[in-house]
Amino acid sequence: MSPIMRDWLEKGKVFQEKLVVIRRDFHQHPEIGFEEKRTRKRLIEHLEAIGLIVQAPMARTGVVALLEGDKPGKTIAIRADMDALPMEELAKHPYQSQSPGRMHACGHDAHMTYVLGAAMILKELKSELCGNVKFIFQPAEETTGGAKPMIDEGVLENPKVDAILGGHVWPDVPSGNIEVVKGPVMASTGQINIELQGKGGHAASPHENSDPIQMATEILQKLQNFVSRGVDPLENLVISICSFHSGETFNIMPEKAVLKGTVRTLNNELRLGLEEKMHKLIKSVTDYHGGSYQFELQHLYPATVNDPEFTDFAKTSIRDLIGEDHVQVGTKPSMAGEDFAFYLEKIPGTFLRIGNYSKEKGLIYNLHNPYFDIDEEQLGKIASIYAKVAYDFLNHQ
Ligand code: NI
């Protein structure tokens, strides 16, 4: 079947004004992870207005809607995250946050709007669609993660989802461009807690005590030695100890030291082997000093690994819409985390970087900055991109 020549950009433009209104409403009413009740209500209203069937609630505040094409075929999901951050917005504009201490500083207001825009466009193409599109709005990306509970509650089933598309506004990429990354795009995240138990006593007699501060500093060193000597230099691993608490005063050797930190890698296999290696390392130090320890490595998000084949397909689909010059191929993953990773563990898909840098428009701030804002002029265009990738996947793949 030859592709229908269609002006996809025009499709998005039709809804541009409406999308700005929708985005500003989300922006003015930010809600943090698992508290997205108003956001959820609004999403349902918008989806029903489009004429979509909204499915039963998932992950407490999550929203899922299904568009069934008139012809049979595969199912693709498009995902947005819903939550805001616990921070004060400092930028002064007419759509400033109306909730004190809450701000959409990570662009999730835009992410939801893109997906709603794609739903508006695709609904009009229902009669042509070979298969289904599932629109996933997921809570709590910034906190404990909404993706995993959504998957556990069956978001990728009924109908079974074959591929997934997502994206994030990206301050390093010029507005108007899309960056695709093949393979790892975001790192895994984990939290380390180490509690060292020594034996306290007079600072003048260290040989009669067991010094937890000495143990902690040796462990700090050895963890970094492990990064440089225990791991393939071509792999990426970051261990950062960011909290170290021990002792009260200058002449009493304390009983205890507590270290907290984070561990990140782009390699999910490397990640799973870390716990045992760190146990060994900590044990060797505490044994030597006659102390004991408690250690916990809490895995948060896996690395987000884009499927190379699906990424290539998405790249071609997007290039045909916005032109070769505006699709860039990124080679540098970010060491920040993203729970889109959980979907990609189950099915192929890609997580796009949506350009959001523009000096002229004052879009120079990083994510989570109190002055962060998104390029509203791109809303319709990104909706077109999402819609086209979904359409091409169902009708031309
Ligand atoms: Ni985010």
Side-chain angles (χ1 to χ4, degrees):
M1 187 171 71
S2 70
I4 298 166
M5 289 309 288
R6 166 168 289 130
D7 189 344
W8 284 96
L9 287 178
E10 204 47 52
K11 288 257 159 219
K13 270 188 205 149
V14 173
F15 297 111
Q16 169 63 22
E17 264 177 55
K18 201 173 178 175
L19 295 178
V20 170
V21 175
I22 291 174
R23 181 265 162 166
R24 290 187 175 193
D25 176 63
F26 285 139
H27 193 83
Q28 284 181 301
H29 301 97
E31 294 169 304
I32 59 167
F34 293 121
E35 290 180 7
E36 307 97 333
K37 291 200 177 73
R38 182 190 183 276
T39 307
R40 176 183 151 74
K41 193 168 157 274
R42 270 282 189 272
L43 283 168
I44 293 172
E45 284 165 11
H46 291 309
L47 290 162
E48 286 179 349
I50 297 167
L52 294 178
I53 313 154
V54 177
Q55 301 187 320
M58 278 188 185
R60 279 139 66 188
T61 46
V63 181
V64 184
L66 185 68
L67 169 62
E68 290 174 303
D70 285 357
K71 298 169 190 167
K74 292 180 286 190
T75 298
I76 184 167
I78 314 180
R79 172 271 203 178
D81 36 16
M82 301 162 65
D83 54 327
L85 288 156
M87 59 189 279
E88 207 68 53
E89 177 161 27
L90 296 182
K92 300 268 178 264
H93 43 58
Y95 47 92
Q96 193 175 13
S97 168
Q98 292 178 5
S99 308
R102 299 282 183 269
M103 178 188 175
H104 267 297
C106 200
H108 300 188
D109 50 341
H111 302 166
M112 290 185 279
T113 311
Y114 301 148
V115 178
L116 284 173
M120 291 172 195
I121 297 169
L122 289 164
K123 177 63 172 44
E124 291 185 350
L125 303 172
K126 179 174 157 51
S127 61
E128 288 175 27
L129 273 187
C130 304
N132 315 302
V133 187
K134 206 178 255 196
F135 303 98
I136 300 177
F137 300 88
Q138 170 227 294
E141 193 284 322
E142 299 284 359
T143 57
T144 51
K148 179 88 172 41
M150 297 278 280
I151 294 167
D152 291 346
E153 290 173 38
V155 75
L156 299 179
E157 306 299 325
N158 298 319
K160 196 180 162 335
V161 179
D162 297 290
I164 187 159
L165 178 69
H168 206 294
V169 287
W170 210 254
D172 294 340
V173 175
S175 185
N177 285 11
I178 297 285
E179 183 165 282
V180 296
V181 180
K182 276 199 214 180
V185 60
M186 307 281 283
S188 69
T189 55
Q191 189 182 329
I192 310 167
N193 293 307
I194 306 170
E195 209 176 295
L196 302 165
Q197 182 69 48
K199 182 173 160 285
H202 201 293
S205 318
H207 58 293
E208 289 172 6
N209 309 327
S210 165
D211 182 357
I213 294 180
Q214 181 66 29
M215 290 182 231
T217 54
E218 282 177 32
I219 288 166
L220 276 168
Q221 291 292 337
K222 287 193 168 171
L223 285 173
Q224 298 312 323
N225 292 351
F226 169 69
V227 173
S228 76
R229 286 295 167 267
V231 177
D232 182 339
L234 297 178
E235 294 293 348
N236 312 67
L237 176 67
V238 179
I239 299 177
S240 292
I241 298 297
C242 302
S243 163
F244 181 169
H245 285 273
S246 186
E248 296 295 336
T249 188
F250 81 104
N251 60 356
I252 305 169
M253 196 165 282
E255 290 271 323
K256 244 194 205 181
V258 179
L259 300 174
K260 287 182 198 294
T262 182
V263 51
R264 283 144 196 267
T265 169
L266 300 167
N267 180 333
N268 282 326
E269 275 172 45
L270 173 68
R271 170 182 182 242
L272 296 177
L274 282 176
E275 195 165 354
E276 200 195 318
K277 289 186 171 135
M278 289 172 76
H279 257 297
K280 261 191 198 162
L281 186 154
I282 299 165
K283 187 171 186 305
S284 72
V285 174
T286 50
D287 278 355
Y288 178 76
H289 288 282
S292 61
Y293 73 97
Q294 278 186 321
F295 164 61
E296 188 192 19
L297 168 55
Q298 196 189 351
H299 290 296
L300 303 172
Y301 300 165
T304 305
V305 184
N306 285 336
D307 179 69
E309 207 180 314
F310 186 89
T311 305
D312 266 339
F313 148 75
K315 183 182 155 218
T316 308
S317 174
I318 298 166
R319 189 196 59 200
D320 293 347
L321 195 157
I322 60 174
E324 185 95 50
D325 294 349
H326 294 291
V327 184
Q328 54 190 80
V329 179
T331 49
K332 208 173 163 191
S334 159
M335 293 310 279
E338 163 63 55
D339 76 348
F340 192 74
F342 286 108
Y343 304 104
L344 293 179
E345 280 194 326
K346 304 274 179 198
I347 53 172
T350 205
F351 193 63
L352 303 171
R353 290 172 171 176
I354 298 161
N356 196 62
Y357 175 81
S358 168
K359 208 173 167 188
E360 303 82 71
K361 293 181 189 176
L363 302 171
I364 53 170
Y365 298 101
N366 209 338
L367 303 171
H368 298 206
N369 182 290
Y371 292 95
F372 178 78
D373 201 359
I374 62 113
D375 190 352
E376 286 187 332
E377 286 172 32
Q378 302 292 324
L379 289 169
K381 186 155 123 187
I382 308 302
S384 297
I385 289 172
Y386 277 16
K388 182 174 185 293
V389 172
Y391 182 95
D392 286 348
F393 178 77
L394 297 180
N395 284 37
H396 305 304
Q397 259 289 81

